[in-house]
Amino acid sequence: MSPDATFPQRPFPRDFMWGTATAAYQIEGAATEDGRTPSIWDTFSHESGLVTNGDTGDVACDHYHRYEEDLDLLAALKVRAYRFSVAWPRIHPDVTGPANQKGLDFYKRLIAGLHDRGITPLPTMYHWDLPQSLEEKGGWTSRETSYRFADYAATVLEQLDGVDKWTTFNEPWTSAWLGYAYGIHAPGRSDIGAGASATHHLLLAHGLGVQACRDIRPGVEIGLTLNLGAIRAGSNDDADVAAAWRNDGNLNRIWLDPLFKGEYPQDMVELYAEYPPGFSVVQEGDLEIISSPIDFLGVNYYGPGTVMGEGREHEARMAGFHVGPPPSEESINHLHSIGVGVPGRPRTAMDWEIDASGLRELLERLSKEYTQIPLYITENGAAYHDYVGTDGAVRDPERIEYIKQHLEACLDAMDEGVNLQGYFIWSLLDNFEWGFGYSRRFGIVWIDYDTGRRIPKSSYYWYRDFINANS
Ligand code: IFM
């Protein structure tokens, strides 16, 4: 191991849940096999022209056929848990018709394979692959989709035995805002009002899903995963502080307040009243459903954000910040702010700033302002332009450093009393990075997309040794 590849000096609790994470459309491939029907991501990747190199998830990592090999990689890594997602279009190809046995069988094999290796499954019911047929009826802008999700949640809970911990959704923010408001993710709609109504229907679907699952198996643990962040104002100027608060509202409070306080933040309700239908879709009793108690919260954290008020590019430059080009779509700037870059701060291949102190800040805020239920870092990781060296090895010291810094931040937060119980690296495998196709690699295992060959990177071995030293 290289000298910079040391471990955090403080130990984690021995029962801490170490894991890695993936998602169905990003790794499975087999897009038309065993009764699977198209999802919005099949349509978007084939038709929108908005995915780098025209990449699609048709084959991806071919995990559908190679899952045994991937399970062996997990076993050799000695993780306690594996987070993956179930593809709705494999389970309910006709949405309202009977469940597809072949689709269920794939996940049954996967779950059995995890149990055989002593690994706890942590499946997510929805990681962005909405059946295309539901999108044609309005997708997440339609309340009906929330009820269909509850039916699907009941099916997977009933059918996939041996899972004690489920998450309903992964990053509903991304589905609602990148998919319905900004048009850069499936289904590619650019309508701020649709972003707000999708927000509500995703939350409603989560609440209905939780209730359906509790009725079927009262003992099961259910949570959801949010992508949350630390949003900072570029200065103390009122305009910048207000811009940071609006961005915090859209990314953090619009999810956390209804889930944990049973209400939408008033400033967000007022903001989206200007964008019909906005929150006019909320019906009596919805917030009680949405705030149904959950057993844990998954947190996906990648980096912090700094914003200033709209039109303050000059002040931002004077303060030494990097200022990007203005948003090309008027609608993107409904938060009336500009994103600025902190000079000198390292960035990943996604151009995301690295600052682990944001993770500590976020965890402490969650614990103080929202909830004491167990928290899990369900995703944390970094993309780099990895390559196979002449000796056949893939060395990724920057990723190791990134993970190490974020683990230190977890320890700092735990020292402050945060009830953090697990950490999952995004991702086990290089995979289909949505709008970036295969051009960004997040894995601790390299994928050769021509042959399907897997090569564990140096971060994989580092994580294995780290887990060994901490369990
Ligand atoms: O690849 C995604 C994942 O699907 C959801 N969270 C963020 C990751 C990196 O962009």
Side-chain angles (χ1 to χ4, degrees):
M1 190 178 297
S2 66
D4 61 343
T6 54
F7 300 141
Q9 288 307 296
R10 291 164 288 169
F12 277 83
R14 297 202 89 71
D15 57 353
F16 203 74
M17 187 174 266
W18 298 109
T20 63
T22 62
Y25 190 70
Q26 294 181 273
I27 65 166
E28 284 178 0
T32 55
E33 268 177 65
D34 290 343
R36 182 186 182 279
T37 49
S39 76
I40 52 175
W41 268 99
D42 295 274
T43 309
F44 187 79
S45 62
H46 279 269
E47 295 176 9
S48 69
L50 292 176
V51 178
T52 305
N53 301 321
D55 290 339
T56 73
D58 288 1
V59 179
C61 307
D62 199 22
H63 170 78
Y64 194 77
H65 300 115
R66 293 173 173 260
Y67 70 94
E68 287 280 358
E69 196 180 340
D70 296 335
L71 289 172
D72 288 343
L73 282 165
L74 286 167
L77 190 56
K78 298 249 173 16
V79 283
R80 271 192 53 201
Y82 174 55
R83 174 176 180 256
F84 60 96
S85 77
V86 176
W88 190 346
R90 283 198 198 283
I91 306 300
H92 271 309
D94 300 324
V95 182
T96 49
N100 172 29
Q101 194 56 46
K102 285 187 172 170
L104 288 166
D105 287 346
F106 170 67
Y107 296 106
K108 286 185 178 182
R109 290 195 297 276
L110 184 68
I111 291 164
L114 287 166
H115 285 310
D116 289 348
R117 292 163 177 83
I119 300 170
T120 302
L122 179 58
T124 301
M125 294 172 178
Y126 184 82
H127 197 126
W128 309 352
D129 41 4
L130 184 72
Q132 179 63 31
S133 54
L134 278 179
E135 177 56 28
E136 274 143 33
K137 295 183 184 139
W140 288 113
T141 64
S142 162
R143 191 175 176 92
E144 266 311 295
T145 303
S146 310
Y147 296 116
R148 295 291 75 76
F149 173 81
D151 296 341
Y152 157 68
T155 302
V156 291
L157 196 90
E158 265 166 0
Q159 297 291 324
L160 300 178
D161 302 334
V163 179
D164 298 328
K165 238 184 175 66
W166 282 93
T167 49
T168 52
F169 281 84
N170 176 70
E171 298 187 12
W173 179 90
T174 313
S175 292
W177 293 92
L178 298 192
Y180 287 85
Y182 308 156
I184 56 175
H185 269 202
R189 290 168 63 177
S190 301
D191 174 351
I192 299 298
S197 74
T199 295
H200 180 65
H201 293 133
L202 284 152
L203 281 167
L204 180 64
H206 156 78
L208 291 167
V210 170
Q211 293 189 342
C213 294
R214 298 253 189 254
D215 287 348
I216 296 165
R217 267 212 278 149
V220 78
E221 282 186 49
I222 307 182
L224 89 164
T225 281
L226 301 174
N227 55 315
L228 301 169
I231 307 279
R232 292 150 180 179
S235 82
N236 288 332
D237 188 283
D238 287 352
D240 299 341
V241 172
W245 188 242
R246 277 191 299 277
N247 278 269
D248 178 72
N250 173 274
L251 181 65
N252 298 322
R253 290 181 288 117
I254 214 171
W255 310 99
L256 293 166
D257 284 18
L259 286 164
F260 294 108
K261 299 181 178 170
E263 61 192 16
Y264 281 110
Q266 194 50 34
D267 60 331
M268 292 292 108
V269 173
E270 283 163 20
L271 175 67
Y272 293 114
E274 288 174 36
Y275 299 95
F279 286 106
S280 69
V281 297
V282 179
Q283 294 185 10
E284 185 146 2
D286 286 359
L287 282 148
E288 282 82 70
I289 297 171
I290 291 170
S291 57
S292 303
I294 51 174
D295 302 299
F296 63 93
L297 177 68
V299 175
N300 291 357
Y301 175 87
Y302 288 90
T306 307
V307 299
M308 293 177 71
E310 187 172 30
R312 286 179 47 80
E313 285 81 358
H314 174 69
E315 289 78 1
R317 287 197 187 91
M318 293 301 286
F321 289 116
H322 298 304
V323 182
S328 53
E329 294 270 347
E330 185 77 4
S331 62
I332 289 185
N333 205 16
H334 70 288
L335 296 172
H336 306 296
S337 54
I338 55 169
V340 296
V342 179
R345 192 169 276 169
R347 288 170 181 256
T348 68
M350 298 295 281
D351 208 24
W352 295 344
E353 284 182 9
I354 303 173
D355 179 4
S357 71
L359 177 57
R360 173 188 178 165
E361 218 173 277
L362 169 64
L363 292 173
E364 290 182 15
R365 176 187 185 191
L366 286 172
S367 176
K368 287 196 185 95
E369 289 181 29
Y370 288 101
T371 184
Q372 295 292 321
I373 59 173
L375 304 179
Y376 292 84
I377 305 297
T378 36
E379 286 183 26
N380 178 238
Y384 287 103
H385 296 296
D386 305 316
Y387 57 91
V388 183
T390 48
D391 59 355
V394 183
R395 292 184 181 78
D396 56 344
E398 301 101 324
R399 183 171 289 107
I400 294 173
E401 187 54 32
Y402 178 101
I403 294 167
K404 195 177 127 193
Q405 286 175 11
H406 288 79
L407 292 176
E408 296 277 10
C410 291
L411 285 165
D412 291 342
M414 291 161 78
D415 283 350
E416 292 302 312
V418 171
N419 186 10
L420 183 66
Q421 301 204 356
Y423 175 93
F424 293 71
I425 289 183
W426 183 268
S427 177
L428 174 66
L429 309 173
D430 290 338
N431 59 49
F432 177 80
E433 179 49 30
W434 309 111
F436 293 89
Y438 298 101
S439 69
R440 297 292 188 282
R441 292 179 178 270
F442 272 93
I444 56 172
V445 174
W446 165 277
I447 298 289
D448 179 334
Y449 292 109
D450 293 331
T451 63
R453 182 165 172 227
R454 278 97 167 112
I455 306 175
K457 303 179 190 178
S458 44
S459 55
Y460 171 96
Y461 296 111
W462 180 89
Y463 194 42
R464 179 197 63 186
D465 295 346
F466 168 75
I467 293 172
N468 192 36
N470 276 274
S471 51

